[in-house]
Amino acid sequence: MRVTQSLLYRSGSDALQSQYQELRSVEEQTVSGQRLNRPSDDPSAVYRHMMYSADLSSVESLMRTTSFASERLQLGEANIDSIHETLLDAEDLALQYGNSYVEGDPDIMAAASTSALAFFEDILNNLNESLDEIPLFSGGRTIDPYNKVDVEVPDVLLRNNSEGDFVDVSSQYAVTLGEDFASTDIPLSYKIAYQADDGSFDVDVNGVVQEGVAVTENDDGTLTWDLGDGVTLTAQASPETADVLYFQVVPSYQGGQADRAIQSLNGRTLSGNVTADELVNGVGGEQNMFVALSGLRGALLRGDTEEVQAWVEELQTATQQVSDLQGVTGIRTNQVDAVYETLETDEAALTEVQALNTEADLFDLLSSLEQVTQSLEVIASTEREVMNTSLLDFF
């Protein structure tokens, strides 16, 4: 009989301990609000929670990347808008001073040239803009002081007798910047008038004239003129009578050929900002905006209204190129913003699923608490009966 009583007691005691553990678990869930407080609570649910956490972390990382990219694109868009407005102002300046009524007043024209230089410097500053020390446009332009490796001569243009539109003759003429080239007055605008009687050139650099630059005939039949300051001009053959050549020495592009791509969903990428090279030269390289601005400044310094008027078309082409890139940048900004909104939706969905996987349900907790409480009462009552033995039961 004692053995039976002992077994009943131990069985009841174990049942009580089990119910107390269940009660503590329910109370812990009630306090924490979480259904999972340790891996043993539900191993499969804990595994799902880890997977949701990894996915959520990835989405949050992409959101940070996309948010930063959107900020870069929006700032780039603002800078491109500023460049576009500056070029429109340059067009207005060329139209205003390309009229004959200001001809013969070099002081007025020279004063206007400071505006053209200001436009150049303003655009240069916009191109060199950076965000968190990262260039907006995949590398900027060079800054003072300039030397040979920092500048270039994009093309050589020709107007017959200083009349008509510019014609690109770069295939016939080449400009070389020697090792001793150095100038702080960038951009440089060269106007070279051919003197057929002696084969020399009259050279005007930013309004400063040098007459009678002599020609040198090379062994290969080409002709070379030393224009001073380490600059030489080589021609395949003698120019035609009354030919006037023009070229500009402007900052050369120092950045990469593509902006940093933006990581998107499912391993895909989106294009970043357009490059400074695309802004300055256009996507097809049709017109270098610095050439147009430098030419405008040089024409104003020379007091040549016809030359000023000739640069209007070049400025219009540069403006159109930037306008096209405004549309490209706007589309890219909208794409990145759309991706960010999608990521926000994914984040909210993952957060909700993760919460449902781990959060305790109030009604389930109340039901479990009621069941555990009733079980404890029944087991405790039974245990009292087992322990309430008489001396007769003991014997």
Side-chain angles (χ1 to χ4, degrees), residues 108-350:
I108 293 178
M109 301 285 277
S113 72
T114 60
S115 295
L117 181 59
F119 295 151
F120 168 86
E121 292 174 343
D122 183 60
I123 289 177
L124 187 62
N125 289 333
N126 277 285
L127 292 169
N128 281 330
E129 185 71 53
S130 62
L131 178 62
D132 292 338
E133 300 183 358
I134 300 175
L136 280 181
F137 302 112
S138 186
R141 291 262 162 173
T142 54
I143 58 176
D144 288 336
Y146 294 99
N147 56 47
K148 178 190 173 185
V149 299
D150 299 324
V151 295
E152 64 176 344
V153 178
D155 47 41
V156 179
L157 306 175
L158 181 145
R159 295 172 73 216
N160 184 264
N161 200 27
S162 298
E163 296 177 351
D165 296 331
F166 293 107
V167 178
D168 190 342
V169 291
S170 301
S171 61
Q172 304 169 43
Y173 297 87
V175 177
T176 303
L177 305 179
E179 294 297 334
D180 55 342
F181 171 83
S183 176
T184 57
D185 192 23
I186 300 296
L188 294 173
S189 177
Y190 280 75
K191 176 182 178 181
I192 308 169
Y194 178 61
Q195 308 300 324
D197 54 349
D198 61 0
S200 68
F201 274 145
D202 288 347
V203 180
D204 182 309
V205 185
N206 284 357
V208 179
V209 179
Q210 180 183 4
E211 296 180 348
V213 175
V215 62
T216 300
E217 187 171 351
N218 304 312
D219 294 338
D220 60 358
T222 60
L223 303 174
T224 299
W225 290 266
D226 185 351
L227 306 182
D229 297 325
V231 181
T232 58
L233 174 67
T234 301
Q236 299 297 320
S238 295
E240 299 293 333
T241 302
D243 276 355
V244 181
L245 302 172
Y246 302 83
F247 67 83
Q248 322 299 320
V249 181
V250 296
S252 57
Y253 180 60
Q254 302 296 313
Q257 295 305 310
D259 197 56
R260 303 193 321 172
I262 303 164
Q263 187 177 358
S264 179
L265 299 171
N266 303 320
R268 294 177 298 173
T269 57
L270 297 173
S271 299
N273 265 322
V274 298
T275 67
D277 185 40
E278 291 172 324
L279 283 168
V280 173
N281 296 303
V283 176
E286 182 177 355
Q287 176 63 58
N288 183 304
M289 71 167 68
F290 283 160
V291 167
L293 290 168
S294 174
L296 173 61
R297 180 198 180 205
L300 290 168
L301 287 169
R302 287 184 277 272
D304 188 336
T305 55
E306 289 187 359
E307 185 185 345
V308 171
Q309 183 65 35
W311 284 109
V312 171
E313 183 178 349
E314 314 298 315
L315 287 166
Q316 288 174 338
T317 301
T319 304
Q320 184 58 51
Q321 290 175 170
V322 174
S323 180
D324 293 341
L325 291 172
Q326 279 182 301
V328 171
T329 302
I331 291 172
R332 292 179 180 181
T333 302
N334 289 337
Q335 287 177 333
V336 171
D337 289 344
V339 169
Y340 186 81
E341 291 176 1
T342 301
L343 290 169
E344 279 187 318
T345 302
D346 291 346
E347 181 193 33
L350 282 170

Side-chain angles (χ1 to χ4, degrees), residues 64-74 262-263 273 336:
R64 288 190 294 270
T65 300
T66 307
S67 176
F68 179 69
S70 178
E71 185 179 358
R72 280 175 53 81
L73 282 167
Q74 290 174 12
I262 303 164
Q263 187 177 358
N273 265 322
V336 171

